[in-house]
Amino acid sequence: MRPSFLAFGLVGTALALPHPQDIDLDGVAAAEPPVIVTPPYDVVSNIPSVLTTTSVAPLATDSLDSRKRRDIEVERRDGTCAPQPAGSGPVPSPDTVAAFQSDPSLQAMATNAPTPYGYESVFTNLAASVNAPNYMGLHTLTSFDSLGCANLCDRASGCTAFNIYIERDPSLSPNTVNCPNPSSVTNFKCTLYGTPLTIGEAVNTGQYRDSFQIVIVGSNAYNKNSPPPAVPGFTGPVELGGAINAPNSYMGYQFFPFSQTQGFDPATCASACTAQTAYDGRHPNADCTYTPCIFFNAYVLSENGVPQGLYCSMYNATWSPSYAKNYGQYRGSDRYTVSDSYSYSLIDPPSQPALSSSCTPRAS
């Protein structure tokens, strides 16, 4: 199974590094939290706008800007009693929340759904859908079709996970005066994500629209179990059992909280590695030598089971999977875990020590 996270903007480490390869949990805690998205309830399909990608800067910079947490949720509003799209699923009798939540035929759809090839099940038949970062869209299906939802994920560039669930929705757009609690329809929803999902993100149990109660049953989630893509200029990915904990050559880390612009994309770590080499080459030692980044470890860091972001550790030497011994750490009572950990090595590394081409050695 691929481990998971998501990230957004750059958060540089302090220049005084923590103990070798210890996860800098104080730095992570000080970073912006992931941007959590609640998919909309009242639409047949929803594809979010494509946003600009995450910017990357080297560690030695003071240009980090402050960012406010962004939890994206659909604004609630009073309806017009307009007919809503007819659902494709059965409506229990009586047409009540309790009957919907206890209907064995709906729950059987979730428990009997096949796990698509290339995916692993995260959870099955929960009464909540996920609120997660790097939301990539919602699709309404005509049946509880886990294979069809997986196909939508496979066709969406960067999609690494999906959630399929059954939702009790209103047949009319509820209005406080004229139709506060209309009859229901049953919809099959498929939502896509650019970060791996966890059971800790299954917190969306529904909402009220006027007097009508939207609820969810039969919620299944699946993560791709294939490795992330190759990164130009680097060999890999090499799957690791944890985070690298090497005895030397550690250059520092960058942490990118998950957001609508940052998913689980090791190319972000490659950009950080390349930017660090370029910066160090422009700021060499007195003898014109500098330390290039030739190897990085990209993984998802989760807090108490909820993915927080993409953690990128950088090195100027390559390390084998036998050094991937850091599986997580505690910060007080909070447990941080490592998942989806992969390493990449520069294909054509410079000679060591590297020499800056625009440097004249200074007298000692």
Side-chain angles (χ1 to χ4, degrees):
M1 173 178 175
R2 281 181 44 188
S4 61
F5 320 58
L6 225 181
F8 112 104
L10 168 67
V11 177
T13 63
L15 295 183
L17 299 177
H19 294 297
Q21 292 88 71
D22 277 2
I23 302 168
D24 183 7
L25 299 184
D26 289 339
V28 170
E32 291 300 314
V35 177
I36 306 301
V37 178
T38 299
Y41 294 98
D42 54 353
V43 297
V44 174
S45 65
N46 171 246
I47 307 299
S49 301
V50 176
L51 303 177
T52 57
T53 58
T54 300
S55 60
V56 177
L59 291 179
T61 178
D62 297 324
S63 64
L64 305 180
D65 58 348
S66 61
R67 297 177 171 87
K68 296 181 179 180
R69 181 186 178 109
R70 293 178 298 148
D71 285 3
I72 302 175
E73 190 168 357
V74 176
E75 180 183 359
R76 295 183 64 179
R77 59 194 182 278
D78 201 19
T80 63
C81 293
Q84 301 299 288
S88 298
V91 175
S93 180
D95 185 3
T96 63
V97 169
F100 182 86
Q101 291 175 321
S102 62
D103 189 322
S105 67
L106 297 179
Q107 297 184 32
M109 295 179 190
T111 56
N112 294 333
T115 298
Y117 180 79
Y119 289 81
E120 289 187 339
S121 174
V122 179
F123 56 76
T124 301
N125 195 31
L126 296 188
S129 61
V130 300
N131 287 352
N134 213 222
Y135 163 72
M136 298 182 65
L138 176 147
H139 303 267
T140 299
L141 309 178
T142 58
S143 65
F144 196 94
D145 184 4
S146 57
L147 302 182
C149 194
N151 181 258
L152 290 169
C153 184
D154 291 340
R155 289 157 51 191
S157 177
C159 182
T160 63
F162 70 87
N163 181 202
I164 181 172
Y165 52 95
I166 308 170
E167 186 173 277
R168 180 181 189 262
D169 289 323
S171 59
L172 304 176
S173 177
N175 177 272
T176 302
V177 175
N178 297 315
C179 57
N181 189 19
S183 60
S184 75
V185 296
T186 300
N187 282 311
F188 303 106
K189 299 291 184 74
C190 165
T191 53
L192 312 181
Y193 296 89
T195 58
L197 298 176
T198 68
I199 194 171
E201 294 169 307
V203 297
N204 183 9
T205 58
Q207 65 170 210
Y208 275 93
R209 292 187 58 195
D210 290 316
S211 298
F212 185 91
Q213 187 177 1
I214 296 172
V215 291
I216 291 164
V217 298
S219 179
N220 293 4
Y222 303 87
N223 288 336
K224 283 186 178 179
N225 57 15
S226 56
V231 174
F234 290 80
T235 61
V238 175
E239 186 173 8
L240 307 174
I244 291 289
N245 194 352
N248 54 57
S249 79
Y250 178 55
M251 297 178 63
Y253 77 95
Q254 299 247 24
F255 178 70
F256 301 88
F258 288 139
S259 72
Q260 284 305 95
T261 61
Q262 180 64 65
F264 180 63
D265 185 4
T268 302
C269 296
S271 295
C273 181
T274 301
Q276 194 62 46
T277 295
Y279 179 88
D280 290 345
R282 295 192 302 270
H283 302 82
N285 301 316
D287 62 357
C288 293
T289 62
Y290 68 95
T291 302
C293 175
I294 66 172
F295 177 88
F296 66 85
N297 178 195
Y299 58 89
V300 174
L301 184 67
S302 296
E303 178 186 3
N304 300 324
V306 177
Q308 299 296 299
L310 175 66
Y311 200 101
C312 308
S313 297
M314 297 176 288
Y315 302 82
N316 79 319
T318 59
W319 298 98
S320 73
S322 64
Y323 287 91
K325 299 298 185 182
N326 189 342
Y327 310 112
Q329 299 165 204
Y330 279 89
R331 184 177 185 266
S333 60
D334 292 322
R335 184 184 183 186
Y336 288 80
T337 51
V338 173
S339 64
D340 290 285
S341 183
Y342 294 88
S343 66
Y344 293 77
S345 303
L346 192 64
I347 291 175
D348 188 19
S351 59
Q352 300 271 7
L355 292 174
S356 175
S357 60
S358 59
C359 173
T360 301
R362 301 188 297 271
S364 56

